[in-house]
Amino acid sequence: MNEYANYRWWMLVATFLLAPSAQALELRWQGFAVQTALHTEGNSSFGESDTPSLDFYEAGLFATAQLTPRLLASAQVFVAEAGSADDGSVRLDYALLDWQVWSKPAGTFGLRAGRVKNPFGLHNDTRDVIFLRPGILLPQAVYLERTGIRDVLFSADGIQLYGSVAHRGGVTALELGVAVDREADKKFRRNLSGGGLTVRQLDIVDFRVAQLLTDWSRPSLRTGLSYLTAGLDAQVDGLGAADLVADIWALSLQWDRARATVTAEYSVLTTTIRGIPGEGRSRSDGVYIQYERFLPADLSLFARYDLDFADRNDRDGRRHAAATGEPRHSQFARNLTLGGSWRPSSNWGLWAEVHLIDGTHGADRNADRHWEMFLVSAAIRF
């Protein structure tokens, strides 16, 4: 029996042992669906042509059950289509037991186990629901939106400890997580292949995540520091074994006012590779700042500027171009995003945004340096 089957059996047994009678069980079902129209000019983002496309959708169905006053079970099934970044396959997004060991006005302490969401930045653990994220697409500079590794970042099979402490300035929360080793899916292997290299086998090992968040009462400010690390053990055609270790740090800041929100995040990704040509250590980084204004009639508008660099020591790509012959713009992306939403109800809404981009780092294919992307989404939740 493989490790995933073991997890399913473990959660099933725990549910039977700890759950109250069916009559007392508080079971809630909810879901959401999003249809997006996308058009690009000058680039084949997400692996699509620049012809307007409706092949971008996402939907989820999730359930929560209050098994005991301190024990919660939650799970979600998710499906998405997004060009080469997502292939429309149905998967178990998360399935967990959340045991709140201690809860007082002064603080909380608890434990989650199963397929748990990874706390990273301000939006990773809510990136599945458009109603909770800042726009149709998350900032590529921090959340690697177009690289096709959403599943790796969003959740992992393991255990998390969490706790919070109330203090004079606000509330500080800490989450720590560790995951079991697992085999990566074929979609992730495909996105890592390229440049003449084909990844046949890929295991995600030594996965760890940590986050420290503080919600300050005066001013209304949220600050955060996140860390995620994982190893990739690969078998590459013609080369044999190759190892990669990735460490990501993110610094987060969000300032809330009555009718506006300012958000900024900065991340640094350090990658160490052994066993393939070009082995060594590299460091990339990215930053964004976003201003969102809430207007009457259930309208909101936002402006965001992202900066994303493949090599923080070669921000204009000149050294990379001289060494490889590839265009400089493959090493950076500067993205101005203008967008907004209309949400007349908590159950449905419309979103639109335009991206004006200089550079192709993070895009699926290197085409024109200057390109645009237009997106319109309609979403419901029930």
Side-chain angles (χ1 to χ4, degrees):
M1 183 180 293
N2 62 36
E3 63 192 44
Y4 301 106
N6 283 328
Y7 265 98
R8 290 194 294 268
W9 277 107
W10 178 85
M11 293 190 67
L12 182 62
V13 171
T15 299
F16 275 111
L17 290 175
L18 299 173
S21 65
Q23 289 81 4
L25 189 64
E26 299 178 21
L27 182 64
R28 296 175 54 196
W29 293 87
Q30 292 181 291
F32 57 90
V34 185
Q35 175 64 63
T36 298
L38 180 146
H39 176 66
T40 62
E41 292 285 351
N43 189 283
S44 299
S45 184
F46 294 99
E48 294 293 317
S49 69
D50 60 5
T51 303
S53 174
L54 292 175
D55 294 332
F56 292 82
Y57 62 82
E58 54 191 312
L61 181 65
F62 62 94
T64 58
Q66 195 70 51
L67 305 180
T68 73
R70 293 191 178 276
L71 185 65
L72 178 75
S74 181
Q76 175 171 290
V77 176
F78 184 79
V79 60
E81 176 76 35
S84 64
D86 226 322
D87 58 7
S89 59
V90 180
R91 68 264 198 178
L92 184 65
D93 229 3
Y94 61 85
L96 59 93
L97 292 173
D98 187 330
W99 179 28
Q100 194 171 70
V101 179
W102 182 74
S103 179
K104 300 290 182 181
T108 61
F109 172 73
L111 169 71
R112 302 186 189 101
R115 180 162 294 178
V116 294
K117 296 182 181 181
N118 296 319
F120 185 80
L122 297 177
H123 305 294
N124 188 63
D125 56 1
T126 58
R127 68 191 298 164
D128 53 325
V129 183
I130 192 173
F131 293 88
L132 302 178
R133 63 186 186 234
I136 299 173
L137 298 181
L138 286 172
Q140 168 72 17
V142 174
Y143 297 99
L144 309 178
E145 185 76 344
R146 294 192 297 269
T147 57
I149 60 172
R150 172 198 176 277
D151 289 355
V152 177
L153 295 178
F154 181 68
S155 62
D157 297 336
I159 296 174
Q160 286 180 359
L161 296 175
Y162 66 90
S164 65
V165 175
H167 48 81
R168 180 173 298 181
V171 178
T172 296
L174 175 66
E175 294 186 57
L176 302 170
V178 58
V180 298
D181 298 348
R182 59 169 167 153
E183 183 180 353
D185 60 23
K186 62 181 181 181
K187 176 182 59 180
F188 189 24
R189 295 199 308 270
R190 183 185 65 239
N191 281 287
L192 284 183
S193 299
L197 301 177
T198 301
V199 178
R200 291 298 180 189
Q201 177 70 29
L202 184 65
D203 295 318
I204 303 170
V205 301
D206 300 329
F207 190 99
R208 308 286 186 272
V209 64
Q211 184 179 70
L212 183 68
L213 281 178
T214 299
D215 287 300
W216 304 92
S217 53
R218 294 184 180 179
S220 183
L221 188 69
R222 169 173 279 195
T223 58
L225 180 65
S226 306
Y227 173 69
L228 188 151
T229 182
L232 299 178
D233 293 346
Q235 290 292 327
V236 183
D237 277 3
L239 296 175
D243 298 323
L244 180 150
V245 177
D247 297 285
I248 315 176
W249 290 89
L251 183 65
S252 306
L253 178 67
Q254 189 172 68
W255 180 45
D256 286 319
R257 303 292 292 170
R259 305 293 296 179
T261 299
V262 179
T263 307
E265 294 189 277
Y266 172 74
S267 72
V268 178
L269 168 62
T270 302
T271 305
T272 304
I273 304 175
R274 299 182 182 90
I276 63 174
E279 66 178 13
R281 189 180 183 193
S282 64
R283 182 169 290 176
S284 60
D285 64 351
V287 64
Y288 78 89
I289 183 168
Q290 175 172 305
Y291 175 80
E292 184 173 15
R293 182 73 179 179
F294 303 100
L295 305 174
D298 305 303
L299 294 170
S300 69
L301 298 174
F302 76 87
R304 183 171 73 223
Y305 190 60
D306 300 59
L307 294 170
D308 188 19
F309 302 100
D311 185 349
R312 64 182 301 182
N313 296 316
D314 184 28
R315 296 191 187 278
D316 61 4
R318 294 185 185 277
R319 287 192 295 179
H320 178 83
T324 66
E326 294 181 356
R328 292 196 301 113
H329 61 71
S330 67
Q331 299 300 290
F332 60 80
R334 305 180 180 98
N335 185 345
L336 173 63
T337 304
L338 304 174
S341 66
W342 178 50
R343 284 176 269 185
S345 164
S346 61
N347 295 324
W348 70 277
L350 300 174
W351 287 256
E353 61 191 46
V354 56
H355 297 251
L356 308 175
I357 304 168
D358 172 17
T360 57
H361 177 55
D364 186 73
R365 302 173 186 172
N366 293 333
D368 295 346
R369 171 174 171 171
H370 298 278
W371 56 289
E372 298 81 38
M373 183 165 52
F374 309 88
L375 301 98
V376 178
S377 293
I380 61 170
R381 57 181 174 181
F382 48 88

